[in-house]
Structures are given as structure tokens and as C-alpha cells.
Amino acid sequence: MRLGDRDSDNFIDRTGQRGGGFGGGGMSTGIFALLARFVFNKFGIVGVLILTLGYCALSGGLGGIVGGGSPQGASSSGESTLTADELALLRGTLESTDEVWTDLFSQAGANYREPELVAYEGGTQTACGYGQEVMGPFYCPGDQRIYIDPDFFTQLSQRFGAPGDFAARYVIAHEVGHHIQNLEGTLQNVQRQQQRASQTAGNRLQVGVELQADCYAGVWAARTGAMEPGDLEEGLRAAEAIGDDALMREAGRAVRPESFTHGTSAQRMEALRRGLSDGNPADCNYAG
């Protein structure tokens, strides 16, 4: 995929700052991180947001988890560990998504608020609690930031057999899709529905959220006009690799459809294809 020399001003590089715990009382961040990983696997980012809101209440509000200062044990050097190619991929993809969605929002008579993308290593503080690599790339509605440990792209390529720059760009565009859902009110609506639903029904709602984000990633890709031969195959391999059924099999677990939170490989591939078909976000009607 050729995006030229695009370079976003909304990129934050924390890769030289290996995170540790936070000071202060309340639940330890190690326990919170384990809970966050469990909830994220079960309910996705909406579930993590609900967990974080409860943690905020127990910790005396948002300031209890995003207080000033650096995390204890973090490097003070701030020296980036990203390669030039990694920087270009992260910053260029974010700038491209900003261009596409700014134009689409403008056509709809609305203003697009650009998200920020934070690259980190191991762990970092967010407005949604303490983010860790084990959670994978995620979007935090509380600060409208996307968080990515670039090591995820190595795992995507080597462990899950989905190499290529478009596979990585699809992951970023998927998280931008969650930002679109936040701006549209979809995340809030689904959260309200999940609070009244059973776990199985809540999981189904979350699947719709994730498939819509996949479709939005396809919309972005279609509208760039920058796709090259092989890009579609790279994206579909990535979507297939991170389907719930594929991940369960890869982990040696029985496939349990009632516990799906992101959709099957087939569903994720179909959602990406749907967005790519004509670049129309109105076709991405998976989430309520």
C-alpha cells in the first residue's frame, strides 16, 4: 500500500519508556491488568471501559488512575525504539485515516475529531486504566487515543502468519473504527444495552461492534485509492488469523461460539470485504 509521505501530528511515541506500576492506593495495577485482560477477552474494549469506570469509583475518580507524573519504573530517557519503517507506517496510516474520515464526516455535515495514536512497550497509562501488551491494540474512549505496542505486528506476522504492511495498517484502521463509533455514540449505546443483557447476549453485541470496526477499516482502505496487488490478501489473512474461532484453536481451546466477542474468521473477512466493496460506511450496519 502506497500512502506517500503522510506524517501525522497526532502520534505519541512512548516506546522508550518501559512502564511499571503506579503509586498511590487502591487496587494494584497488576491485579487490574489481569482483570482488564480477562474482561477484554470476554467483552472487548466496551467491557474494559465498564471495568475502568468501576475502578475509577473505587479509586476516588479518574485521577486515581491517571494521576500526574511518570509510571514508577519507567525510563526517563524517552528515547524511541521504533525503526524508520515502523514510524512511517504508524504515522502515515493515522494521517491517511484522518484524511478519509474528515472528508466523510464533512460530507455528512459533521466535524471529525482526530484521535491520537500512542506507541508504547509493555505497558502504559491511559484514561481507561493501565494498558498492557497482552490486551493487543486497543482504543480508549476516555482520552480518544489508540494504543499499540508495535511488537503486536511482529506477532501478527510470525505467530499468526499474517505479514505485510497492509495487515498492520488494517489493525490500525480497525482501532480508528472504534473511534468513529465513539464519535457516533455507538459505543455508548452498546454499553447501555450490555448492562441490561446476559453475558451471551452482551458478547453478541460486542461482536457487532468489532465487525463494524472491521468494515470501517475496509471503507478507509477503499477510499485511499492506494491499494496494491496483494494488499487484499494480506488484510484477509490478518482478519482470518484474529477471528475468535481461530484464536481459540491456536490456544488449544474448544471453540465456544457463545463466548465470541470479535467474530469468527469468516465474519471478520466478510466485514472487511464489505467495507472495501464500495467504501460506503452506511454498509457497515453491524452495531446498534
Side-chain angles (χ1 to χ4, degrees):
M1 191 175 203
R2 296 191 179 276
L3 295 178
D5 297 324
R6 289 175 171 83
D7 190 7
S8 174
D9 293 329
N10 296 316
F11 177 75
I12 301 170
D13 188 352
R14 296 181 184 171
T15 57
Q17 301 176 359
R18 298 289 298 188
F22 293 95
M27 186 189 303
S28 75
T29 53
I31 295 173
F32 180 79
L34 289 174
L35 283 173
R37 177 170 62 175
F38 173 78
V39 172
F40 187 83
N41 288 338
K42 298 291 283 185
F43 299 108
I45 187 59
V46 176
V48 173
L49 179 58
I50 294 171
L51 172 65
T52 302
L53 290 175
Y55 178 51
C56 287
L58 292 173
S59 303
L62 192 60
I65 57 174
V66 294
S70 297
Q72 294 176 5
S75 166
S76 60
S77 67
E79 186 174 341
S80 176
T81 64
L82 294 172
T83 67
D85 286 344
E86 288 172 331
L87 276 169
L89 185 144
L90 291 165
R91 301 182 74 142
T93 305
L94 183 63
E95 179 66 17
S96 177
T97 61
D98 285 344
E99 292 172 3
V100 166
W101 288 106
T102 294
D103 183 57
L104 283 168
F105 269 58
S106 178
Q107 291 177 28
N111 293 321
Y112 179 65
R113 295 197 300 274
E114 298 176 353
E116 293 180 314
L117 190 156
V118 179
Y120 71 96
E121 291 179 306
T124 192
Q125 63 180 7
T126 83
C128 294
Y130 192 66
Q132 288 195 319
E133 179 189 3
V134 293
M135 297 167 62
F138 65 94
Y139 171 71
C140 173
D143 54 22
Q144 297 189 11
R145 287 177 173 175
I146 296 159
Y147 291 87
I148 294 178
D149 185 324
D151 185 59
F152 176 82
F153 299 131
T154 301
Q155 295 183 43
L156 187 65
S157 173
Q158 298 179 0
R159 179 178 174 184
F160 297 106
D165 71 304
F166 185 75
R169 295 185 196 278
Y170 151 64
V171 169
I172 297 170
H174 170 96
E175 298 306 328
V176 172
H178 287 315
H179 178 63
I180 306 304
Q181 293 169 327
N182 188 36
L183 298 181
E184 293 176 335
T186 302
L187 293 185
Q188 299 86 337
N189 182 44
V190 170
Q191 179 186 348
R192 287 190 294 269
Q193 293 181 61
Q194 285 181 318
Q195 290 172 340
R196 301 189 300 268
S198 66
Q199 180 172 319
T200 299
N203 286 348
R204 286 197 296 268
L205 289 166
Q206 185 62 35
V207 167
V209 168
E210 300 299 335
L211 294 180
Q212 186 177 62
D214 281 336
C215 186
Y216 281 164
V219 168
W220 159 76
R223 287 181 171 268
T224 63
M227 291 188 67
E228 299 177 294
D231 282 345
L232 174 60
E233 290 74 19
E234 288 179 10
L236 292 176
R237 277 198 299 270
E240 181 178 23
I242 56 180
D244 283 323
D245 52 343
L247 291 175
M248 287 179 179
R249 292 190 187 98
E250 197 272 341
R253 296 165 53 195
V255 175
R256 298 177 56 219
E258 71 276 8
S259 65
F260 289 170
T261 59
H262 286 63
T264 66
S265 295
Q267 287 175 316
R268 300 199 70 169
M269 294 167 70
E270 188 277 334
L272 179 60
R273 283 184 183 275
R274 183 183 295 191
L276 278 163
S277 63
D278 61 6
N280 183 2
D283 292 339
C284 303
N285 57 348
Y286 292 93

